[in-house]
Amino acid sequence: RIVVTCGSLEESKRGLELARTDARLFSTVGVHPTRCSEFGDNEESVAAHVEALTRIARQGMEDGTVAALGELGLDYARTEFCDIETQKRGFLAQLAIAGETKLPLFIHNRETGDDLVTMLHDNRHRFSRGVVHSFDDSAELAARIIALDLYIGINGCSLKKPENLEVVRSIPLERLLLETDCPWCDIRASHAGSDHVQTKFPTRNEKKFELGSCVKGRYEPCHIIQVAEVVAGAKGIDVAEVAEASRKNAYEFFGGLEK
């Protein structure tokens, strides 16, 4: 199973179309924090955008293709694309869709201090389940997220530094979701977790690509095994235990992934 993550109204439409071409594919519906300006700056435009997103979500839920709302949240590292107040307004607007559809949230968080977790706490009654994906913050923040009965998503960007591995050790397996965030967030030789990677794939430069190889610098769904290996190595447990826990959590979080 592969979940195609979307980040705008247009992507949500295209993601649903793509996911319907293969029984193994599912999609999300939502607006990334850096693109929340597409909601507009007045109540009428925000309401119209929410209605359009809700319509796509409901269409995708009819055949089980849409599995979550997102990617939504806050990103203070890239406010040149969208200011903080517009991001917050867009995030809160999308929670109305969560309340109506009961879909889980696929949440983005980047350098927001306490703001995102505070908003999640204050609005916890408005959504069913959630995962803060690509987590690269502190163990303290992870604990606060888990205390809200939410999941933590781990990928290559979560495993760059020794302190990141310490955070991973602190996350209970029952709250952990593995992801690739492909084509981004590859595990590189310079990353602290790279010593735990056991599985390698033949890789070619994009211009010299051939079937059976991966493209250099581009993460693929197959690389999920590398994330599992690093998490297992950091925790000192078997990779099969990590993989099984994440598989179980993913099916529970996304509601079975059947269509």
Side-chain angles (χ1 to χ4, degrees):
R1 303 292 189 272
I2 297 174
V3 178
V4 179
T5 312
C6 302
S8 69
L9 176 61
E10 182 59 30
E11 280 187 5
S12 298
K13 295 176 184 176
R14 290 163 47 206
L16 177 56
E17 292 172 0
L18 173 62
R20 281 176 165 165
T21 66
D22 192 305
R24 298 167 296 180
L25 298 181
F26 299 80
S27 67
T28 70
V29 172
V31 179
H32 190 279
T34 61
R35 291 148 121 182
C36 279
S37 57
E38 71 175 51
F39 280 97
D41 57 5
N42 60 71
E43 291 185 9
E44 291 77 13
S45 63
V46 171
H49 217 64
V50 167
E51 183 179 351
L53 289 164
T54 303
R55 187 161 53 248
I56 297 169
R58 288 207 173 279
Q59 289 171 357
M61 291 172 69
E62 289 177 359
D63 59 7
T65 301
V66 168
L69 295 177
E71 180 176 345
L72 74 172
L74 299 176
D75 188 323
Y76 293 180
R78 291 178 283 183
T79 53
E80 69 269 24
F81 298 113
C82 189
D83 66 86
I84 290 173
E85 290 309 310
T86 300
Q87 290 186 33
K88 288 182 176 180
R89 184 168 62 248
F91 176 64
L92 290 174
Q94 292 178 85
L95 291 185
I97 308 172
E100 187 172 333
T101 63
K102 309 305 180 187
L103 286 168
L105 304 185
F106 192 75
I107 304 165
H108 179 96
N109 177 57
R110 189 68 70 233
E111 298 181 16
T112 66
D114 293 332
D115 282 9
L116 180 68
V117 74
T118 298
M119 292 182 74
L120 289 171
H121 175 273
D122 293 346
N123 292 276
R124 186 63 185 87
H125 61 288
R126 301 180 65 189
F127 62 95
S128 58
R129 303 179 300 283
V131 57
V132 178
H133 99 108
S134 194
F135 188 82
D136 65 353
D137 216 297
S138 67
E140 178 187 4
L141 189 65
R144 292 176 64 189
I145 290 168
I146 292 169
L148 293 174
D149 197 27
L150 305 178
Y151 292 88
I152 304 288
I154 298 295
N155 57 38
C157 291
S158 313
L159 305 167
K160 292 181 178 180
K161 304 175 182 177
E163 50 266 37
N164 295 145
L165 301 186
E166 288 294 332
V167 173
V168 167
R169 292 186 188 100
S170 74
I171 301 172
L173 283 180
E174 61 268 22
R175 290 286 107 187
L176 194 67
L177 285 175
L178 304 184
E179 56 174 323
T180 55
D181 204 30
C182 60
W184 324 113
C185 292
D186 54 322
I187 298 174
R188 303 178 183 179
S190 59
H191 293 175
S194 63
D195 289 345
H196 297 300
V197 172
Q198 303 170 37
T199 304
K200 305 291 179 66
F201 298 91
T203 302
R204 300 285 185 272
N205 185 281
E206 185 175 359
K207 293 182 179 180
K208 298 181 179 180
F209 174 76
E210 58 185 44
L211 287 177
S213 299
C214 295
V215 175
K216 185 177 181 180
R218 186 172 76 189
Y219 232 34
E220 303 280 3
C222 63
H223 290 109
I224 192 73
I225 182 63
Q226 295 183 343
V227 181
E229 288 168 349
V230 176
V231 171
K235 284 182 168 292
I237 58 179
D238 191 83
V239 66
E241 184 179 356
V242 173
E244 175 58 24
S246 180
R247 185 200 66 80
K248 178 177 179 291
N249 295 342
Y251 276 82
E252 290 179 353
F253 176 78
F254 289 113
L257 294 176
E258 295 291 343
K259 58 181 180 178

